[in-house]
Amino acid sequence: MDLEIRHLRVVCAIADTGSISKAASRLGISQPSVTTLLQRVERMVGHQIFQRGRGGARSTTFGEQFLQRARLLVAEMDALGGEIAGPAGTIRFGSVHMECVSSLFHCLETSFPDISFSMCVEPSSLRLAQRLVHGDLDVAVLAIAESHQIPLPQELASMIRA
């Protein structure tokens, strides 16, 4: 099973609210569903994302790194559904070579049949970030290694924090 955007939304909601039950309320789904989705994500990635206790849920060290990537992807997916292209537009999509890209691309084409997608594969996440800033791409999926931070161009970093 591959990670899906709904998995990332759940993880982000838990981090934002500090609680599985509050995340469930925010997402409009049951608390057991949120718990099940979180457990599924943790099994897929092979790490615990949150320390859970009576005081709520706090992200682990791995969880912080995972959240950084998840927030980036969720923001990009939200932009895809909204403001990037009109009903008959073309979205220029860039990615490093990753296993999830083909299924993500297929899902986008299925979900947005009136929008055309073009795909550009770059070996460098830094190059993709630069292409986003320069307007050569509308959306990009970046690969970030745990031991290596990508210095995002200031224009892109400020868009992500906003």
Side-chain angles (χ1 to χ4, degrees), residues 105-137:
F105 202 68
H106 174 71
C107 182
L108 291 172
E109 289 178 319
T110 303
S111 299
F112 303 100
D114 295 336
I115 298 176
S116 298
F117 294 91
S118 65
M119 172 61 99
C120 164
V121 177
E122 285 276 354
S124 164
S125 289
L126 180 57
R127 177 71 182 126
L128 286 170
Q130 291 168 340
R131 290 188 69 182
L132 277 171
V133 169
H134 295 306
D136 297 333
L137 294 173

Side-chain angles (χ1 to χ4, degrees), residues 126-156:
L126 180 57
R127 177 71 182 126
L128 286 170
Q130 291 168 340
R131 290 188 69 182
L132 277 171
V133 169
H134 295 306
D136 297 333
L137 294 173
D138 297 309
V139 178
V141 176
L142 307 176
I144 302 172
E146 289 181 36
S147 61
H148 181 267
Q149 291 292 327
I150 293 178
L152 295 177
Q154 181 60 35
E155 300 90 335
L156 184 60

Side-chain angles (χ1 to χ4, degrees), residues 1-8 37 40-45 66 73 98-107:
M1 180 185 211
D2 292 329
L3 281 175
E4 299 174 16
I5 193 68
R6 68 188 176 111
H7 296 127
L8 302 179
L37 285 168
R40 210 174 276 162
V41 171
E42 289 178 331
R43 273 194 311 273
M44 281 189 269
V45 299
F66 185 88
L73 287 170
M98 296 188 306
E99 292 177 18
C100 69
V101 172
S102 63
S103 57
L104 174 63
F105 202 68
H106 174 71
C107 182

